[in-house]
Amino acid sequence: MAHFDEKAKPFSHKWLNERMAVDTVKKVLSTEYWIPKDINFLWAMGMILAATFGLLIISGIFLLMYYQPSVESAFDSVNYTIMNEVGYGWLWRHIHGVAASVVFLVIYIHMFTGIYYGSYKRGREMIWLTGMLLFVLFSAEAFSGYMLPWGQMSYWAGMVITNLFEGFSPTIAGGVANFPGFVEWLRGDYVPGQAFLTRFFMLHVFLLPLVIIAVIVLHFATLRLPHVNNQHGKEIDFDEAAKLYKEGKKKESKVIPFNPVFLSKDIFVMGVYFILFFYLVFFHFDFAMDPVNFDPADGLKTPAHIYPEWYFLWSYEILRPFNKDLGLIAFGFAQVAFFLLPFLDKSPVVAPANKRGLFKVWFWVMIVDMIVLTVMGKLPPEGIWTVIGLVAALVFIALFVVLPFITKNEKKA
Amino acid sequence: MKEFKILAVVVILSLITYWGVEPFAHSQMHKHVEGHNFVYDGAADIAEASKEKVAAKKAFWGEVNQIAKLPGNAAAGEALYATCMGCHNGAGINMGGVIPPNLDHAGSLYDKNYLIALIKDPAMASNVDHKYASTMMHPMGAVQAMVTTPQQIADVVAYIKAKKVGKMTPQVAYEEACGRCHADRYGNLTQLGATPKFKTEKEALAHQMKVLDEQDLIKKYMGKLPPDLSIMIRARSEQYMETFIENPQTQLPGTSMPRVGLTKEGYESVKAYLEETGDPSKDARHAIGPWVILFFVIFTVLAYFWKKHHWKDLH
C-alpha cells in the first residue's frame, strides 16, 4: 500500500490523490493525452457526436416524464400532452427529433473522414470496429425510437422491418434459413401491437442507451493508445513529441494536449454546429419529422409510400431492387461491408485518399454511390428510378468486392 | 484556406443529399395539383370530368356564372332565406346523414359563386355528383324545389353575402365549415361541438353515446368516419391542404368529402384553428428561436478567441 499522510484532510487534493491518483488520471485522460497538431475541423466530429448524444439523453429524459407507452395513448401523449400542454414540451421534442436525425449526418461525416484518411488500419482497427458497432446501435436506437409516437410510419416501418426477420424463403436450401414464427416472437403478436410497442419502448429508453454508453467508453478506450490519426497519415513518435511540448518547444512539437488545446478548437467547431442545430430546431424541423407520422397508426390503411428515415435509405435501396432472397443477401452484405473495411483494404499506406491512386477513385465513387442510393431509396420504385437504384446497389457491392484487389498493389506514396 | 475547402465539400454533399430526399423526392411522390386561389368558376371540375359528365358540368357552371352576373336583391332574398331556416336552424339535428350547418357567417366563409352553385345543385357544386344518381338524393337536394329561378338564387345569395357576415373566431369558422363531420379532439370538439364539463360520469357517458350515434349516421352517409383534424396541419403540406379544401377530388379522386367552397378569408380562419390545435408552439418558436441562436453566435465568437489564445504559439 501506498504511504498515507495521516494529516491530510478528507477530500482534499492530497487525500484524493493518495486514494484515486487523480493527478495521474487527469494527465492520462486530459492534459497529457496527446493529439496530433496536423488536424482540421473534421477531427471535432467525435466531440460533436458526444455533445449531440448528450442532448438526446437530456431531451429524452424530459420526454420520458410524459410519454405513455400504450397503443391507446402513445400518439396523443406525444402530440397533445407533450406538444400542447407541457411547458416547452415542444422544444424538447423538436430537439430530440432534430438531434436524432442530425446525429446520423455527423456519424456519416465522422465515418467517411475515417475512411478518407485511412484511420481504420495499422493499429486503429479496434477504433473502427467499435465505431461501426456504435453505428449499428444508434441505428437500433433510432428505429426503436421511431416506433414510439405510434403514428402511421411507426406502425408500417415496424411491420416492414420486423418482416425481414422471417429469413429466406422456405424453398431455399430446404428452409434452413427460414424462421417460421420468429417474426411473431419478435413482435409478441401477429402484427405490431401493445406488446411490440412496450418492448421497443424498453429497448429505446433502457437497454440500448445503456449499451451505447458502454460502447462509447470502449470506443474512447480503443483510441487512447493508437492515438488519433492526422491529416497526412504521418507516424508520430508521441513520447518524443510530448517531451518537446512539455519543454515549451510548442512550435517544434507535433502534438498538442487534449485539454485545453484540442478542446478549445472542438468547442469552437461545436459552437458553429449548435448555431446550425438550433436553427433547425426552431425553424426547419420538418425534415426530421415525417408528415405521415402525424396520422395515428392504422393497421387497416397502408400509406401510399413507406420509406425509412433518410439515414437508412441507402441500405433500404440495396434491399429493394432485388427479389426477397437476393435482397436479403444484398442487405446483409450492406450491413457488414463497412465493418470489413480494415481487412478488405490490403494496402499498408495510411494517407488521405486523394494521395492513394486507385483508392482515391474508390472513395469518391463510394461517396457518390451512397448519395445516389439514399435519394433512390426515397423515390417511388418506378421506371428509371428502379434502374438507377439497381445499378447503384450493384456498384455498392462491386466496390467492396474489388477493394482488396485495387489496394493490394498500391505503392507507397 | 484548406479548412474552408473541406467545409465546402461537406456542405455541398450534405445539401445535395438533402435536396434529393426532401424537395426532389416529395415532388416525385406527390402529383402536383394546381391551386385556383379560391375562385369557383367550374374550370377545374370541367377539366377533370369524365367524358360522359363533361357536357353536364359545362352547362351547369355556365348557368352558375350567368346567375352570378344577375343583380341580387337582398331584401327579396331575406324572405326566401326563411325557407332555409327550416333546416339551417342551429338545432343540431342530423338530417339525411349530417347536421345542417349553421349559416351565421356563411357570407364571410363561402364564396359567392359556390353558394349559387350549391343552391342550384348541391351535389354538382360540392363535386360529389358521382355519389348521387339524382341530386334530389343529396341531403340538401330539397333546396331545388324551394329556390327555383335564377333570380331567386341571386337574391338569397345577395342576402347571405350582405347580412350573414362578420368577424368570427377561428374556432367558429372551423365549427361552421368542418366541425359537423370532423372531430378535433385536441380542441375538445366532437361532431356535436364542444364537449361540456359534466358533473357525473353518467352524464358524460350519455353525451358520449350521443356523439357515437351522430358518428354512426355520418359514417353511413360518408362511407367512413371522416378523420379527426387535431394535427392535420402537420400531417399534410400547406399546398395539399389548400388544394384539397378547394376541390377534394383533385387529391383524393372519388372521395365522398364535399367541396366546402371557402373564400380565401374563410380558409385562413379555418387554417388558423387547425394551427391552434395542431401546432400551437409556432409563436413561441419564433419568439425564442432568435435568442437561442444569438446565444450560440456569442458562444462561438468567445470560443474562437479562446481557441486563438491556445493555438497562437503552436505554429
Side-chain angles (χ1 to χ4, degrees):
Chain A
M1 281 300 273
H3 293 286
F4 286 99
D5 180 352
E6 300 292 340
K7 284 180 207 131
K9 278 209 179 100
F11 306 107
S12 66
H13 182 82
K14 193 171 186 192
W15 189 87
L16 282 174
N17 215 15
E18 282 169 348
R19 285 157 181 80
M20 291 170 62
V22 282
D23 284 348
T24 315
V25 170
K26 192 176 165 197
K27 271 188 194 168
V28 170
L29 293 183
S30 146
T31 53
E32 291 185 19
Y33 172 17
W34 304 103
I35 308 281
K37 196 197 286 178
D38 180 25
I39 55 173
N40 58 51
F41 77 91
L42 290 171
W43 267 251
M45 293 305 136
M47 288 309 285
I48 286 186
L49 281 173
T52 312
F53 183 62
L55 272 179
L56 282 164
I57 294 221
I58 295 166
S59 55
I61 287 172
F62 282 98
L63 295 175
L64 191 48
M65 292 188 213
Y66 291 95
Y67 174 75
Q68 297 168 14
S70 142
V71 290
E72 299 296 329
S73 56
F75 186 84
D76 285 349
S77 74
V78 174
N79 289 305
Y80 182 69
T81 310
I82 290 172
M83 295 299 285
N84 291 19
E85 295 210 303
V86 176
Y88 296 100
W90 57 270
L91 181 57
W92 295 117
R93 185 186 182 198
H94 284 182
I95 289 177
H96 203 72
V98 169
S101 194
V102 170
V103 84
F104 277 92
L105 176 66
V106 187
I107 286 177
Y108 283 125
I109 295 173
H110 194 54
M111 227 171 107
F112 294 140
T113 303
I115 299 177
Y116 181 85
Y117 292 102
S119 312
Y120 49 83
K121 52 183 174 177
R122 306 267 294 170
R124 298 198 177 91
E125 289 86 351
M126 284 307 289
I127 310 176
W128 179 258
L129 291 175
T130 51
M132 280 308 300
L133 188 57
L134 278 172
F135 175 76
V136 172
L137 289 167
F138 267 83
S139 301
E141 179 69 1
F143 176 75
S144 57
Y146 202 69
M147 300 298 106
L148 304 189
W150 209 240
Q152 270 289 67
M153 212 56 126
S154 305
Y155 183 92
W156 289 98
M159 182 81 102
V160 171
I161 297 302
T162 44
N163 267 340
L164 292 179
F165 290 89
E166 186 185 35
F168 295 94
S169 305
T171 50
I172 302 281
V176 284
N178 179 261
F179 314 115
F182 186 55
V183 176
E184 287 74 15
W185 183 78
L186 271 182
R187 289 179 188 155
D189 202 340
Y190 294 102
V191 290
Q194 183 60 57
F196 178 92
L197 179 61
T198 328
R199 65 186 56 182
F200 276 95
F201 172 68
M202 179 281 291
L203 287 173
H204 186 72
V205 307
F206 175 66
L207 187 55
L208 288 170
L210 204 65
V211 178
I212 285 176
I213 291 168
V215 180
I216 288 177
V217 172
L218 182 62
H219 190 56
F220 284 168
T222 56
L223 195 58
R224 184 62 185 83
L225 289 184
H227 285 276
V228 178
N229 195 6
N230 56 76
Q231 265 194 106
H232 293 90
K234 289 269 172 339
E235 283 217 33
I236 296 173
D237 183 337
F238 279 87
D239 292 334
E240 193 191 297
K243 210 173 125 215
L244 281 175
Y245 188 93
K246 283 199 271 190
E247 283 166 4
K249 293 178 186 158
K250 294 185 182 178
K251 278 198 178 69
E252 291 77 16
S253 176
K254 286 184 178 144
V255 298
I256 49 173
F258 174 81
N259 182 19
V261 182
F262 176 72
L263 218 48
S264 68
K265 184 168 180 175
D266 266 7
I267 288 186
F268 164 64
V269 179
M270 221 182 269
V272 176
Y273 163 77
F274 277 135
I275 294 173
L276 171 74
F277 179 83
F278 282 101
Y279 161 73
L280 295 174
V281 165
F282 286 102
F283 301 106
H284 201 88
F285 46 82
D286 328 32
F287 79 98
M289 308 177 109
D290 201 279
V292 181
N293 223 23
F294 285 91
D295 281 329
D298 182 349
L300 299 174
K301 201 172 118 194
T302 320
H305 305 281
I306 302 178
Y307 44 82
E309 286 291 275
W310 72 268
Y311 37 85
F312 294 142
L313 287 169
W314 67 272
S315 53
Y316 182 59
E317 187 58 21
I318 291 174
L319 167 86
R320 204 167 59 159
F322 304 102
N323 69 29
K324 178 187 154 89
D325 295 308
L326 268 180
L328 216 52
I329 295 174
F331 186 67
F333 179 83
Q335 302 314 306
V336 297
F338 282 105
F339 272 95
L340 299 177
L341 204 56
F343 312 105
L344 295 177
D345 182 346
K346 299 283 182 196
S347 160
V349 180
V350 177
N354 275 6
K355 300 222 162 70
R356 287 183 56 194
L358 274 178
F359 186 78
K360 171 183 174 177
V361 180
W362 185 92
F363 178 82
W364 291 108
V365 171
M366 188 270 294
I367 295 285
V368 171
D369 196 49
M370 292 288 281
I371 293 176
V372 171
L373 282 168
T374 300
V375 177
M376 293 307 135
K378 184 124 176 200
L379 288 167
E382 300 159 354
I384 186 75
W385 310 130
T386 322
V387 181
I388 299 175
L390 176 64
V391 172
L394 292 173
V395 167
F396 181 89
I397 295 166
L399 276 171
F400 284 87
V401 173
V402 301
L403 185 58
F405 302 101
I406 65 166
T407 49
K408 209 167 164 184
N409 298 315
E410 192 178 313
K411 289 190 183 73
K412 247 186 140 77
Chain B
M1 217 177 108
K2 200 171 173 191
E3 299 234 2
F4 284 108
K5 268 195 211 159
I6 298 170
L7 182 63
V9 172
V10 173
V11 169
I12 289 168
L13 292 177
S14 305
L15 286 178
I16 292 173
T17 311
Y18 170 75
W19 173 81
V21 297
E22 281 293 309
F24 179 66
H26 284 287
S27 78
Q28 296 296 310
M29 273 190 280
H30 314 292
K31 60 172 183 172
H32 182 72
V33 173
E34 209 58 61
H36 44 87
N37 206 24
F38 301 97
V39 172
Y40 303 92
D41 56 7
D45 299 38
I46 294 163
E48 74 186 22
S50 63
K51 260 190 204 141
E52 307 85 67
K53 287 253 170 108
V54 75
K57 294 254 174 186
K58 265 188 188 160
F60 173 74
W61 285 100
E63 283 173 58
V64 169
N65 290 330
Q66 284 302 316
I67 298 171
K69 285 183 198 138
L70 293 177
N73 180 342
E78 185 170 9
L80 272 165
Y81 183 77
T83 57
C84 304
M85 295 294 283
C87 298
H88 294 278
N89 49 19
I93 294 165
N94 192 299
M95 292 186 179
V98 68
I99 297 170
N102 186 333
L103 298 180
D104 288 349
H105 304 90
S108 306
L109 271 174
Y110 308 114
D111 176 73
K112 179 183 162 192
N113 265 25
Y114 168 77
L115 285 171
I116 293 170
L118 190 74
I119 296 169
K120 200 171 155 39
D121 185 333
M124 284 289 250
S126 314
N127 206 11
V128 287
D129 46 300
H130 56 280
K131 273 172 61 184
Y132 306 97
S134 126
T135 273
M136 287 309 281
M137 291 160 70
H138 187 281
M140 191 177 153
V143 72
Q144 287 186 312
M146 298 178 194
V147 183
T148 48
T149 69
Q151 188 57 51
Q152 281 179 329
I153 296 175
D155 292 347
V156 175
V157 172
Y159 172 73
I160 293 173
K161 276 290 182 190
K163 298 292 172 192
K164 296 291 172 186
V165 289
K167 276 239 163 287
M168 59 202 147
T169 63
Q171 180 172 336
V172 167
Y174 172 87
E175 285 193 68
E176 289 189 15
C178 325
R180 291 155 302 112
C181 295
H182 296 279
D184 186 310
R185 64 187 187 284
Y186 295 177
N188 190 32
L189 294 178
T190 69
Q191 284 80 358
L192 295 181
T195 307
K197 282 244 179 292
F198 294 103
K199 284 204 188 81
T200 65
E201 196 184 346
K202 230 170 140 181
E203 283 171 354
L205 287 172
H207 181 77
Q208 220 175 318
M209 286 289 289
K210 267 165 68 184
V211 172
L212 288 173
D213 284 341
E214 177 62 23
Q215 288 181 343
D216 280 346
L217 292 171
I218 296 169
K219 225 183 279 178
K220 226 166 109 192
Y221 166 52
M222 298 297 286
K224 71 189 247 301
L225 190 68
D228 185 292
L229 299 184
S230 297
I231 51 164
M232 204 46 93
I233 196 84
R234 292 198 69 169
R236 302 291 182 276
S237 73
E238 177 101 34
Q239 214 262 344
Y240 183 101
M241 293 288 277
E242 198 172 312
T243 50
F244 183 75
I245 290 175
E246 277 182 341
N247 186 3
Q249 301 299 329
T250 52
Q251 298 280 10
L252 278 182
T255 180
S256 52
M257 156 104 177
R259 165 187 284 138
V260 187
L262 293 177
T263 56
K264 179 102 184 129
E265 181 201 355
Y267 171 72
E268 293 299 335
S269 299
V270 167
K271 195 177 90 176
Y273 185 67
L274 295 180
E275 274 185 356
E276 240 172 65
T277 63
D279 188 19
S281 65
K282 202 174 173 185
D283 291 340
R285 288 199 304 267
H286 289 273
I288 303 166
W291 294 103
V292 174
I293 291 170
L294 180 69
F295 171 84
F296 279 103
V297 169
I298 296 169
F299 176 97
T300 308
V301 170
L302 293 176
Y304 179 73
F305 287 117
W306 189 46
K307 189 249 163 189
K308 271 239 143 177
H309 165 75
H310 280 298
W311 284 64
K312 67 177 184 298
D313 18 280
L314 291 183
H315 291 286

